[in-house]
Amino acid sequence: MKLKGNIIDIPNGKIFKGEVTIENGKIKSIEEKESEENHFILPGFIDAHIHIESTMLVPSEFAKIAVKHGTVATVSDPHEIANVLGVKGVEFMIENGKQTPFKFNFGAPSCVPATSFESAGAEIDSDAIKTLMANPDIKYLAEMMNYPGVIYDDAEVLKKLKWAKHYNKPIDGHAPGLLGEDLNKYISAGISTDHECFTYDEGLEKLQKGMKVIIREGSAAKNFEALIGLLDEHFLNMMFCSDDKHPDDLLLGHINQLCARAVAKGVDVFKVLRAACVNPVKHYNLDVGLLNVGDDADCIIVEDLNDFKTLQTYINGALVFDKRESKIEHVEFENLNNFNTDKKEISDFRLESQAEKIRVIECKDGELVTNELIENATIEDGNLISNTKTDILKMAVVNRYENQKPAIGFIKNIGLKEGAIASSVGHDSHNIIAVGVSDEAICKAVNLLIENEGGICAISDNEEKVVALPMAGIMSDQNAETIGRQYAELDKMAKQLGSKLHAPYMSLSFMALLVIPSLKLSDKGLFDGGKFKFTSVEVL
Amino acid sequence: MKLKGNIIDIPNGKIFKGEVTIENGKIKSIEEKESEENHFILPGFIDAHIHIESTMLVPSEFAKIAVKHGTVATVSDPHEIANVLGVKGVEFMIENGKQTPFKFNFGAPSCVPATSFESAGAEIDSDAIKTLMANPDIKYLAEMMNYPGVIYDDAEVLKKLKWAKHYNKPIDGHAPGLLGEDLNKYISAGISTDHECFTYDEGLEKLQKGMKVIIREGSAAKNFEALIGLLDEHFLNMMFCSDDKHPDDLLLGHINQLCARAVAKGVDVFKVLRAACVNPVKHYNLDVGLLNVGDDADCIIVEDLNDFKTLQTYINGALVFDKRESKIEHVEFENLNNFNTDKKEISDFRLESQAEKIRVIECKDGELVTNELIENATIEDGNLISNTKTDILKMAVVNRYENQKPAIGFIKNIGLKEGAIASSVGHDSHNIIAVGVSDEAICKAVNLLIENEGGICAISDNEEKVVALPMAGIMSDQNAETIGRQYAELDKMAKQLGSKLHAPYMSLSFMALLVIPSLKLSDKGLFDGGKFKFTSVEVL
């Protein structure tokens, strides 16, 4: 097979008319030759850090969409499924991914559970990390979020790092805002990347200290604008990633969008492609071709170098995307889950109190951080209840792994005037999170998800709508188009119920993420992320 | 234990008065504190690429000297012993090294034998590389000298690279002068370092393409002056090495000398120490401490930051050098060898000929490259012989692994007026190389080495002097001081015999190194390194 057009030679910074010959899945030759084709041939894009689960798609369905945008490989941390199913979940991701031509590269999740202040479905301890590291399918130790553990020499953390080093596998970082001495300690522990930088100066310090900085632009966190100015000088040590990307966003674009934006900013296209194609292969030692003779033919054809609109995608020489059609086929799989709670009673959501003041989570649109507010309590029949007038609504986090009493809190800015919304996607432990205008609506929404063994839903006075996520309670067994449409409909319904948030389910899913302050609710209770300890709803 | 003085904090680029507390071999704490000590505390130095064998010392004896210069670790390619003894030789190096506190990090030699135009004592094929790569004591795949093999997709070479990647171990390069497309191919094969750059521009291109460049300053090849100008900008991606270092040079200094020279050139001391201490640990994933709390206490005390004169060296918290005394103890070992040739007859060195002109190797002082000369033949009794007047001397390379007829050639510039010199250190196969004024003297020198099963020697009309190298025919079983003194005496004798060369034995040992052009002599015959094929002594 021959591909003709403008060939992009990244190492030499050259573009020339020519012909790429592919044989047995490899690049057999590349020759300069006149061609009437005006499109461009280049290596495929790589997402250097993505939790596939956040797309609500299993790997095989994710791959179908990703190849449309010219992505041929990911470096992926199965952290979400691991919190639900442990190593079995990691194995599912690997095996499902292997049934496609797409080049998934999974890491071993380093922080499962994320904290001891919540109930996860599984634990991955240092012994399990040892076993995972020995597995050739595991390419790296995934983001070490427990940076206090690194800095203060937590024995389990050190053991996990030791096993990664023992097997010569890279260790990914996750250290938002970590600088100075603490950063030095973190780097000296062998951690070599960071995708959490949110300022130019932070990125620069990390680069100057020898880290690789991954520019993240996901559905939730967006750091492209802050960091892109570093690429010109540091193009050998930067990559692109999405981290968390929702299904509707994935349908619109992927790493190709970041390339287009970087080029529009005036960054040299060869430097952009270093970050988008070459650097992940080098850093993570990936079996992904880079358009060199002898390489796997993992390459793409794009219309131009402004939009990077993908016309064709090849993986191991096989055409996996052509114009509008993804050639990656549906993969059958059996849903795995860990959903063991019985349905709840309305009375389970009562919070008996005489308090006049309560501590309230202030949800901020588009941010993971929250504020703590002190507000007037609304009490009915001795039970603290939602108040739609003040928009202080009752929130519950329900342990989905065993029968436990729901944890109750209050939240401002969700905005519902009717009904309730709920989700079993709730970082990091993926318990059920629900917010509603009454105990009854909350209970109904929670039970709807329990019935479905996972999903996201909305309840009004006379309607209920659910997107089932039967794979571990966090992923669909449907394709991206279906899930994208269903997600959009549900999002619309939440807004009809009164929510003014840009993406209510995304906001909801982060309200139990304890590692990001200030006030969050876990299945075990209200949590002060600043002081890193539990606190009370009642202010006495 | 506490060390007090000026503490060098490389990551922060700071120096402060303080106290380092060492407990159980680790850095327990580092505190700012007034101190009357004016010396400096810093991580130990690392030689990022050295063939220990070239010091003629076994690892344990090498370590004794290296710690005097503040070196605590090496990245070492046991290429020389592997050419003699194969994997058994590699294992000897590892085991001998392990009996010292010094942190040796051995690689798997990638090119044994170096070429098919010479007889080595062993072969390390891709199956053996697979086994070595699986061994946790093997830290990397050592210098891939066969760059044509990489560029032209030699199947065995590709398999060796594949096994290194499979085990996530770095692959070292060796690509003097390789640039442009060929370099891209070499890098794309996964090779990440080069220590053979001899110009600034070459180093810059390799750095810009993402390689780590190791500045080499050995006894033979010296690239410091050419490359040091790159360090200021590329300090995250450069290291220091000696490659080949002779015993007399090792006694004088090591990486500390390069630090002193770099600082004298005006390079920021923190950048110098990145190259000398930090970067090898990161690139090769070494278990060597970098003066962070929790690290192995692998650190040194130096008098100042100009000369880097070492006062004390600690490895794993143990004092291994104090003022003038190395605390590393002698290690008993059994000599291993591969020396299977019987003594030769004078007639074995005859070269019957009627030719008027012969092809002569021109040895150039201090260089590995040679020229080809066409000179008048001197014939006696139908035998081509040495001519001391024209300084065209007979040279022989004798297969030491089995009984074969010696290969005969002629060489200019060795300068002997009497006797002969010989060496069983002969890169890369370590056969016996001899040059002398008569067949008789050559035969005597060769037989002296055969009797000793390896060494270097000189023969005059009435004296013979030999430094025995009974360990594989390339290393001594004595200590560095003894071997240094013996080597100096022998060097003096070679000069008394007439040699004007700066280091006659060093020059001799490279006259069979076929991979460096133009004209060389292997045990199989005269070799044209430019055309990479055998040629004839006689010019007809």
Side-chain angles (χ1 to χ4, degrees):
Chain A
M1 183 172 49
K2 289 181 190 297
L3 309 181
K4 295 171 191 180
N6 298 297
I7 297 172
I8 303 191
D9 176 353
I10 303 174
N12 290 312
K14 282 195 321 198
I15 300 175
F16 58 90
K17 287 270 183 195
E19 193 174 272
V20 176
T21 305
I22 299 175
E23 209 175 275
N24 298 322
K26 307 264 182 195
I27 307 289
K28 194 182 174 214
S29 65
I30 299 176
E31 287 167 284
E32 267 193 79
K33 207 168 200 177
E34 266 318 298
S35 157
E36 286 173 12
E37 302 287 357
N38 286 317
H39 57 219
F40 294 82
I41 305 168
L42 64 158
F45 301 125
I46 301 171
D47 190 326
H49 176 75
I50 181 168
H51 306 283
I52 304 286
E53 301 96 309
S54 294
T55 64
M56 297 181 190
L57 299 170
V58 294
S60 52
E61 293 297 327
F62 168 86
K64 266 194 206 170
I65 307 305
V67 295
K68 295 186 177 188
H69 307 308
T71 308
V72 297
T74 61
V75 178
S76 287
D77 174 13
H79 173 76
E80 312 307 337
I81 198 169
N83 268 285
V84 177
L85 291 166
V87 169
K88 200 168 57 167
V90 175
E91 288 166 351
F92 166 79
M93 299 296 275
I94 293 171
E95 293 311 316
N96 178 272
K98 275 190 183 176
Q99 291 175 64
T100 74
F102 194 86
K103 297 195 168 178
F104 290 102
N105 296 280
F106 287 103
S110 66
C111 301
V112 176
T115 73
S116 57
F117 299 98
E118 61 199 297
S119 306
E123 186 187 349
I124 296 187
D125 64 8
S126 61
D127 287 338
I129 290 292
K130 177 183 174 183
T131 308
L132 286 167
M133 282 296 134
N135 179 348
D137 285 330
I138 293 291
K139 302 295 184 182
Y140 67 108
L141 183 63
E143 52 179 330
M144 178 44 76
M145 296 182 265
N146 187 0
Y147 51 84
V150 176
I151 293 163
Y152 299 110
D153 295 321
D154 177 272
E156 265 290 286
V157 168
L158 294 186
K159 275 189 214 162
K160 290 174 180 177
L161 299 176
K162 187 191 77 177
W163 286 118
K165 284 186 243 180
H166 178 83
Y167 287 101
N168 285 289
K169 297 191 178 179
I171 305 171
D172 261 9
H174 160 120
L178 196 71
L179 297 171
E181 297 282 355
D182 287 347
L183 176 60
N184 299 341
K185 177 73 196 265
Y186 191 70
I187 293 172
S188 77
I191 296 163
S192 53
T193 71
D194 190 71
H195 59 266
E196 297 280 347
C197 299
F198 50 86
T199 69
Y200 181 94
D201 287 346
E202 179 185 356
L204 185 61
E205 178 169 338
K206 285 175 174 168
L207 285 162
Q208 284 174 338
K209 288 180 172 174
M211 290 191 114
K212 311 267 195 253
V213 167
I214 309 179
I215 299 179
R216 171 180 59 184
E217 189 79 353
S219 296
K222 295 179 189 294
N223 310 115
F224 179 90
E225 293 296 333
L227 303 179
I228 191 64
L230 292 162
L231 187 58
D232 181 59
E233 188 175 340
H234 298 276
F235 65 95
L236 287 173
N237 296 309
M238 299 187 79
M239 304 178 248
F240 292 122
C241 80
S242 16
D243 202 354
D244 293 293
K245 199 155 174 88
H246 284 243
D248 45 345
D249 279 349
L250 178 66
L251 288 166
L252 300 177
H254 194 197
I255 301 302
N256 57 338
Q257 292 175 322
L258 302 186
C259 291
R261 289 172 64 185
V263 167
K265 292 261 179 202
V267 186
D268 174 60
V269 69
F270 297 105
K271 293 182 176 178
V272 171
L273 295 179
R274 283 256 176 196
C277 313
V278 180
N279 295 344
V281 173
K282 298 293 177 193
H283 182 73
Y284 294 100
N285 184 25
L286 307 182
D287 283 327
V288 177
L290 290 170
L291 206 59
N292 299 296
V293 173
D295 280 4
D296 290 351
D298 304 323
C299 53
I300 63 176
I301 298 180
V302 302
E303 203 164 71
D304 58 45
L305 301 184
N306 299 311
D307 292 340
F308 293 91
K309 182 178 172 344
T310 306
L311 304 174
Q312 288 190 326
T313 302
Y314 295 84
I315 300 179
N316 285 330
L319 182 64
V320 294
F321 170 69
D322 190 7
K323 306 258 165 55
R324 300 187 64 82
E325 194 191 352
S326 177
K327 314 270 186 189
I328 292 183
E329 287 173 19
H330 177 70
V331 170
E332 290 296 324
F333 62 91
E334 206 176 310
N335 286 320
L336 300 175
N337 214 334
N338 190 358
F339 224 102
N340 306 309
T341 182
D342 296 327
K343 286 200 189 179
K344 301 297 167 191
E345 305 288 336
I346 297 173
S347 61
D348 289 332
F349 297 93
R350 281 181 70 87
L351 186 58
E352 310 282 347
S353 177
Q354 305 295 332
E356 288 184 8
K357 296 283 184 184
I358 54 172
R359 223 174 296 273
V360 172
I361 297 167
E362 184 188 22
C363 173
K364 302 168 84 173
D365 200 9
E367 295 191 35
L368 309 191
V369 295
T370 62
N371 281 335
E372 174 181 320
L373 303 174
I374 307 297
E375 299 283 347
N376 290 327
T378 307
I379 296 178
E380 187 185 84
D381 189 18
N383 175 29
L384 284 167
I385 58 165
S386 293
N387 184 334
T388 53
K389 290 198 190 93
T390 54
D391 190 23
I392 291 169
L393 302 182
K394 188 176 271 189
M395 173 178 171
V397 176
V398 182
N399 184 323
R400 62 129 133 170
Y401 302 107
E402 58 180 24
N403 283 316
Q404 292 291 346
K405 193 170 160 28
I408 304 296
F410 286 84
I411 189 164
K412 193 174 173 78
N413 278 349
I414 298 294
L416 300 182
K417 300 296 174 198
E418 180 190 341
I421 60 175
S423 170
S424 64
V425 177
H427 300 281
D428 282 322
S429 291
H430 303 296
N431 288 301
I432 304 168
I433 309 178
V435 174
V437 304
S438 68
D439 291 6
E440 195 183 349
I442 291 172
C443 182
K444 205 168 161 190
V446 166
N447 284 343
L448 188 56
L449 295 190
I450 292 173
E451 255 171 52
N452 279 278
E453 297 202 335
I456 51 176
C457 74
I459 301 289
S460 73
D461 292 345
N462 46 29
E463 195 188 353
E464 54 184 48
K465 196 168 268 186
V466 64
V467 178
L469 298 174
M471 181 66 213
I474 55 176
M475 285 180 282
S476 172
D477 51 4
Q478 304 293 308
N479 63 27
E481 287 78 6
T482 306
I483 201 79
R485 195 182 60 241
Q486 290 178 345
Y487 184 84
E489 283 169 14
L490 201 65
D491 181 76
K492 191 172 155 194
M493 180 167 168
K495 288 167 181 169
Q496 283 165 348
L497 293 175
S499 181
K500 297 275 184 289
L501 292 172
H502 172 72
Y505 290 96
M506 194 199 303
S507 292
L508 197 62
S509 73
F510 289 115
M511 290 303 111
L513 181 60
L514 309 189
V515 291
I516 308 274
S518 292
L519 198 62
K520 294 287 171 77
L521 183 65
S522 95
D523 66 295
K524 293 182 174 178
L526 196 62
F527 188 75
D528 183 329
K531 296 185 183 138
F532 229 73
K533 60 178 195 180
F534 288 114
T535 183
S536 64
V537 175
E538 296 174 317
V539 182
L540 300 172
Chain B
M1 183 174 48
K2 290 181 190 297
L3 309 182
K4 295 174 190 177
N6 297 297
I7 297 172
I8 303 192
D9 176 354
I10 302 175
N12 290 312
K14 282 194 322 198
I15 299 174
F16 58 91
K17 288 270 183 193
E19 192 174 273
V20 176
T21 305
I22 299 175
E23 208 176 275
N24 298 321
K26 308 262 183 197
I27 307 289
K28 194 182 176 212
S29 65
I30 299 177
E31 286 166 285
E32 269 190 71
K33 207 168 199 176
E34 267 316 300
S35 159
E36 285 172 15
E37 301 287 355
N38 285 318
H39 57 221
F40 295 82
I41 305 168
L42 63 159
F45 300 123
I46 301 172
D47 190 325
H49 176 74
I50 181 167
H51 306 284
I52 303 287
E53 301 96 310
S54 294
T55 64
M56 298 182 189
L57 299 171
V58 294
S60 52
E61 292 297 327
F62 169 87
K64 265 195 208 171
I65 307 304
V67 296
K68 293 187 179 188
H69 306 308
T71 308
V72 296
T74 61
V75 178
S76 287
D77 175 12
H79 174 75
E80 313 307 337
I81 198 169
N83 268 285
V84 177
L85 291 166
V87 169
K88 202 169 55 168
V90 175
E91 287 166 353
F92 166 78
M93 299 295 275
I94 293 171
E95 292 313 315
N96 177 272
K98 274 189 182 175
Q99 291 175 66
T100 75
F102 194 86
K103 298 194 168 179
F104 290 101
N105 296 279
F106 287 103
S110 66
C111 302
V112 175
T115 74
S116 56
F117 299 97
E118 61 199 297
S119 307
E123 186 190 348
I124 295 186
D125 64 9
S126 61
D127 287 338
I129 291 291
K130 177 183 174 184
T131 308
L132 285 168
M133 282 296 134
N135 178 350
D137 284 330
I138 293 291
K139 302 293 184 184
Y140 68 108
L141 182 63
E143 53 178 328
M144 178 46 76
M145 295 181 263
N146 187 359
Y147 51 86
V150 176
I151 292 163
Y152 299 110
D153 294 322
D154 176 271
E156 265 290 286
V157 168
L158 294 185
K159 274 189 214 161
K160 290 174 181 177
L161 298 175
K162 187 190 79 177
W163 286 118
K165 284 186 240 180
H166 178 83
Y167 286 101
N168 286 289
K169 297 190 178 179
I171 305 172
D172 261 9
H174 160 119
L178 197 72
L179 297 171
E181 298 283 355
D182 287 346
L183 176 61
N184 298 342
K185 177 73 195 267
Y186 191 70
I187 293 171
S188 78
I191 296 164
S192 52
T193 70
D194 190 71
H195 59 267
E196 297 281 346
C197 300
F198 50 84
T199 69
Y200 181 94
D201 287 347
E202 179 185 356
L204 185 60
E205 179 170 338
K206 285 175 173 167
L207 285 162
Q208 283 175 339
K209 289 182 172 173
M211 289 191 114
K212 312 269 192 253
V213 167
I214 310 178
I215 299 179
R216 172 180 57 185
E217 189 80 351
S219 296
K222 295 179 188 292
N223 311 115
F224 179 89
E225 292 296 333
L227 303 178
I228 191 65
L230 292 162
L231 187 58
D232 181 59
E233 188 174 342
H234 298 276
F235 65 95
L236 288 174
N237 295 308
M238 299 188 79
M239 303 178 247
F240 292 122
C241 80
S242 19
D243 202 353
D244 293 293
K245 202 157 173 87
H246 285 242
D248 45 345
D249 278 350
L250 178 66
L251 287 167
L252 299 177
H254 195 197
I255 300 302
N256 58 338
Q257 291 175 322
L258 302 185
C259 292
R261 288 172 64 185
V263 167
K265 293 262 178 201
V267 186
D268 174 60
V269 69
F270 297 105
K271 293 182 176 180
V272 171
L273 295 178
R274 283 255 178 198
C277 314
V278 180
N279 296 343
V281 173
K282 298 293 177 193
H283 183 71
Y284 295 99
N285 184 25
L286 307 182
D287 282 327
V288 177
L290 290 170
L291 206 61
N292 299 296
V293 173
D295 281 3
D296 289 351
D298 303 323
C299 53
I300 63 177
I301 298 179
V302 301
E303 202 165 72
D304 59 46
L305 301 183
N306 299 311
D307 292 338
F308 293 92
K309 182 176 173 342
T310 307
L311 303 175
Q312 288 189 327
T313 302
Y314 295 83
I315 300 180
N316 285 331
L319 182 63
V320 293
F321 169 68
D322 191 7
K323 306 257 166 57
R324 302 186 63 82
E325 194 190 354
S326 177
K327 313 270 186 189
I328 292 182
E329 287 175 18
H330 177 69
V331 170
E332 290 296 326
F333 63 91
E334 205 175 312
N335 287 321
L336 301 175
N337 214 335
N338 189 359
F339 224 102
N340 306 311
T341 184
D342 297 327
K343 284 198 189 182
K344 301 297 167 191
E345 305 289 333
I346 296 173
S347 60
D348 290 332
F349 297 94
R350 281 179 69 86
L351 186 59
E352 309 284 344
S353 176
Q354 304 295 333
E356 288 186 7
K357 296 281 182 185
I358 55 171
R359 224 175 295 275
V360 172
I361 298 168
E362 184 188 22
C363 172
K364 303 169 82 173
D365 199 11
E367 293 192 37
L368 308 193
V369 295
T370 62
N371 282 335
E372 173 182 320
L373 303 175
I374 308 296
E375 299 282 347
N376 290 327
T378 307
I379 297 180
E380 187 184 84
D381 189 17
N383 175 30
L384 284 166
I385 59 164
S386 293
N387 184 334
T388 53
K389 288 196 190 98
T390 55
D391 190 24
I392 292 170
L393 302 182
K394 187 176 271 189
M395 172 178 171
V397 175
V398 182
N399 185 324
R400 63 130 133 168
Y401 302 109
E402 57 182 24
N403 283 317
Q404 292 291 344
K405 195 173 157 26
I408 304 296
F410 286 84
I411 188 162
K412 194 176 170 75
N413 277 348
I414 297 294
L416 300 182
K417 300 297 175 198
E418 179 190 343
I421 60 174
S423 171
S424 65
V425 177
H427 301 281
D428 281 322
S429 291
H430 303 296
N431 288 301
I432 303 168
I433 310 177
V435 174
V437 303
S438 67
D439 292 5
E440 194 185 347
I442 291 172
C443 182
K444 204 169 161 191
V446 166
N447 285 343
L448 188 56
L449 295 190
I450 293 174
E451 254 172 54
N452 278 279
E453 298 202 334
I456 51 177
C457 73
I459 302 288
S460 71
D461 292 345
N462 46 29
E463 194 188 355
E464 55 183 51
K465 197 168 267 186
V466 63
V467 178
L469 298 174
M471 181 65 214
I474 56 175
M475 287 180 282
S476 172
D477 52 3
Q478 305 293 309
N479 64 27
E481 287 78 6
T482 306
I483 201 79
R485 195 183 59 242
Q486 289 178 345
Y487 184 85
E489 283 170 14
L490 201 64
D491 182 77
K492 192 171 157 198
M493 180 166 168
K495 288 169 180 166
Q496 282 166 349
L497 293 176
S499 181
K500 298 273 184 293
L501 293 172
H502 173 71
Y505 289 96
M506 192 198 306
S507 293
L508 196 63
S509 73
F510 288 115
M511 289 305 112
L513 182 60
L514 307 189
V515 293
I516 309 275
S518 294
L519 198 63
K520 295 287 172 80
L521 183 66
S522 96
D523 66 295
K524 293 181 174 179
L526 196 63
F527 189 76
D528 182 329
K531 298 186 181 137
F532 229 72
K533 61 179 192 180
F534 287 114
T535 184
S536 63
V537 174
E538 296 174 317
V539 181
L540 299 174

